[in-house]
Amino acid sequence: MAHISFDSSNLSTFIQPNELGEMQAMVNAADDQLRNGTGAGAEYTDWLHLPTDYDKDEFARIKKAAQKIQSDSKVLVVIGIGGSYLGARAAIDFLNNAFFQAQTDEDRKAPQILFAGNSISSSYVHDLVQLIGDRDFSVNVISKSGTTTEPSIAFRIFKEMLVKKYGADGAKSRIYATTDKERGALKTEANSEGYESFVIPDGVGGRFSVLTAVGLLPIAAAGADIDKLMEGARAAENEYVDTDLSKNEAYQYAAYRNILYRKGYETELLENYEPTMTMFAEWWKQLAGESEGKDQKGIYPSSANFSTDLHSLGQYIQEGRRTLMETVVKVQEPKHDVVIPSEDSNLDGLEYLQGKTMDYVNDKAYQAVVLAHVDGGVPVMTVNIPKQDEFSLGYLMYFFEVAIGVSGYLNGINPFNQPGVEAYKTNMFGLLGKPGFEEIGKELKSRQK
């Protein structure tokens, strides 16, 4: 029995009973492309078996490095962009106290995990340097090539800080490089300087890399049990192998979202009712958007955090254009619950709720929203997870990874490349005058006049 459950019962007014079965042949073909390597981008599908087929020696080194970071650092600066940071950030928020990053060093019982290299904002870096202050810190720089602009700039800045604080030799022992196994600028530097390094596997693209050292080292440094994380993903890997749509709920999700997409529901909102899942939605948005947005087609991934966004986006979702579908990730058992206290005056009109728990109210809000949105013409799917723990997170991440992989093939695209990402980089290099891009820069500057 699956650890998480997919609820499609609220699609009955949008999808006819026969439509799912009619997707079976397409799903079989997509599964063959994914699992037998017959589809486009097959060289980047090693993530499919990561939960069972991973480097056990490196995994042990990751845990040992995390322990060292915990022993000698109050802060770990994780430098990376896109898939090089989103998975770790999502997991750390998902698994920890809502104010984990704001807790004191003593209360947190693990290093503060701060992220850099995911923008080119000078103000952000300045403020981050101030936040670190005089505290001991280490750096985990994550880059396949070592030449990606945003993380490369950040690495220069924080490496200089380490050298000034600890000296050249001391800095080297506090830098952890997660990069290519054999080549690239960062790998060359790691070898020459003696940084401890970890591998981004060749067959795993960035947005699917959370269960490699890319995500595992920061997650472990934050105090999470990465053995349990992998165990959950391994259980999901074993669960989602049957192509039968009556049994495989990850494939059901992929099929239903494609049926809806063909009916004109072109935007998918991933929604939650827990603020600690905001960054999980950001991880999902890259996974879905970078995998499926190609050839002028694909479901546009967005997100909403309820009940907060019901007071901002709720009006549009309820009565705006009927191009939205919703997927809710619903936690069955909260980390903590709070009883609503009694008051004699009842000026706020909450007497009918006193003595009940906040999670009870949160759950009723979820039920009410589903009913209202379905009545308003918005299809709603729900992925139920038992709790916010490592096992559930590993399971949930694998659920979405395999579903998005199949979904991409159902839509006739390569889910594992990202050719469009290079367009802005080429323009930026030209405008900045990077060697080799001078002619592009001249042409772009002439267009700006």
Side-chain angles (χ1 to χ4, degrees):
M1 182 177 177
H3 181 71
I4 65 178
S5 64
F6 174 65
D7 180 2
S8 60
S9 61
N10 291 294
L11 299 181
S12 59
T13 58
F14 305 93
I15 296 176
Q16 297 301 314
N18 61 295
E19 291 187 79
L20 182 65
E22 290 170 359
M23 290 289 291
Q24 186 64 69
M26 292 178 64
V27 168
N28 291 345
D31 176 82
D32 178 74
Q33 289 179 288
L34 180 64
R35 297 187 184 277
N36 295 322
T38 61
E43 65 273 23
Y44 291 106
T45 58
D46 287 356
W47 58 269
L48 195 61
H49 300 296
L50 264 180
T52 52
D53 185 16
Y54 61 94
D55 187 330
K56 308 303 189 295
D57 291 335
E58 181 178 73
F59 192 82
R61 284 200 303 115
I62 289 170
K63 292 196 286 187
K64 186 175 181 181
Q67 291 171 352
K68 179 180 180 296
I69 293 166
Q70 291 168 347
S71 69
D72 67 14
S73 300
K74 297 299 183 183
V75 176
L76 174 65
V77 179
V78 179
I79 298 174
I81 194 166
S84 294
Y85 94 102
L86 281 170
R89 188 164 182 181
I92 290 166
D93 282 6
F94 183 98
L95 296 170
N96 285 290
N97 183 294
F99 301 100
F100 173 81
Q101 302 289 23
Q103 288 179 309
T104 65
D105 293 335
E106 292 72 24
D107 288 341
R108 193 170 43 250
K109 296 181 175 60
Q112 188 176 27
I113 312 296
L114 303 175
F115 295 88
N118 49 64
S119 75
I120 319 176
S121 168
S122 54
S123 296
Y124 178 92
V125 170
H126 171 272
D127 294 349
L128 180 54
V129 169
Q130 282 199 327
L131 180 60
I132 295 170
D134 293 330
R135 291 183 294 168
D136 288 315
F137 75 102
S138 294
V139 166
N140 176 205
V141 56
I142 306 168
S143 176
K144 184 77 169 173
S145 66
T147 58
T148 305
T149 305
E150 294 91 340
S152 294
I153 291 172
F155 186 40
R156 280 202 177 197
I157 293 166
F158 289 98
K159 179 169 53 176
E160 181 182 64
M161 282 181 61
L162 285 171
V163 171
K164 286 181 178 179
K165 186 174 180 65
Y166 301 105
D169 290 337
K172 294 174 185 178
S173 69
R174 290 176 173 271
I175 295 174
Y176 302 85
T178 306
T179 187
D180 190 88
K181 184 177 181 179
E182 297 177 346
R183 56 190 175 273
L186 181 55
K187 179 60 178 175
T188 299
E189 181 175 342
N191 286 346
S192 64
E193 298 296 329
Y195 307 152
E196 181 160 12
S197 61
F198 301 94
V199 175
I200 302 174
D202 287 338
V204 181
R207 58 189 175 275
F208 290 88
S209 66
V210 64
L211 297 179
T212 71
V214 170
L216 293 176
L217 179 57
I219 294 168
D225 186 340
I226 59 174
D227 288 295
K228 290 290 186 183
L229 184 73
M230 295 297 280
E231 185 181 337
R234 187 158 54 249
E237 179 187 343
N238 293 331
E239 178 69 29
Y240 301 125
V241 291
D242 192 333
T243 60
D244 187 339
L245 281 171
S246 68
K247 300 175 182 177
N248 189 325
E249 292 187 328
Y251 284 13
Q252 281 181 30
Y253 167 63
Y256 277 129
R257 65 198 297 273
N258 274 274
I259 293 170
L260 290 166
Y261 172 60
R262 287 156 175 74
K263 292 174 181 278
Y265 299 97
E266 297 180 345
T267 296
E268 181 177 8
L269 290 172
L270 191 80
E271 299 162 353
N272 64 75
Y273 284 76
E274 293 292 341
T276 50
M277 293 182 65
T278 300
M279 288 307 301
F280 181 86
E282 296 301 309
W283 170 81
W284 174 86
K285 284 194 286 190
Q286 187 201 4
L287 179 71
E290 204 168 75
S291 295
E292 296 189 294
K294 289 152 197 172
D295 304 331
Q296 288 75 57
K297 56 186 176 181
I299 299 166
Y300 181 76
S302 189
S303 63
N305 307 297
F306 291 165
S307 62
T308 303
D309 289 341
L310 291 170
H311 297 261
S312 56
L313 299 176
Q315 172 62 41
Y316 187 95
I317 297 170
Q318 189 69 45
E319 296 184 349
R321 292 186 53 151
R322 301 298 76 185
T323 58
L324 302 177
M325 63 175 113
E326 299 174 85
T327 300
V328 183
V329 179
K330 184 70 170 60
V331 181
Q332 299 301 301
E333 181 184 331
K335 295 177 186 177
H336 309 283
D337 208 351
V338 175
V339 176
I340 299 168
S342 301
E343 282 188 8
D344 293 335
S345 64
N346 194 38
L347 291 174
D348 54 15
L350 292 181
E351 184 177 18
Y352 73 106
L353 292 179
Q354 63 190 30
K356 293 182 170 62
T357 70
M358 287 187 68
D359 188 62
Y360 171 83
V361 178
N362 206 23
D363 184 59
K364 295 306 177 187
Y366 155 74
Q367 295 176 30
V369 170
V370 170
L371 291 169
H373 288 183
V374 169
D375 288 347
V378 183
V380 181
M381 300 171 279
T382 300
V383 179
N384 293 294
I385 64 174
K387 59 178 67 174
Q388 288 180 244
D389 61 7
E390 290 91 341
F391 187 95
S392 297
L393 179 62
Y395 206 108
L396 181 65
M397 285 180 150
Y398 192 89
F399 171 93
F400 280 118
E401 287 179 345
V402 75
I404 292 298
V406 166
S407 183
Y409 284 138
L410 287 175
N411 206 19
I413 54 91
N414 178 352
F416 306 114
N417 66 354
Q418 54 277 343
V421 174
E422 301 305 315
Y424 94 88
K425 295 181 183 178
T426 300
N427 288 349
M428 181 176 68
F429 293 153
L431 293 171
L432 289 171
K434 183 175 181 177
F437 293 81
E438 293 90 349
E439 291 304 314
I440 293 172
K442 289 179 183 177
E443 192 271 330
L444 291 172
K445 288 174 183 176
S446 70
R447 288 167 54 186
Q448 291 179 322
K449 292 179 181 179

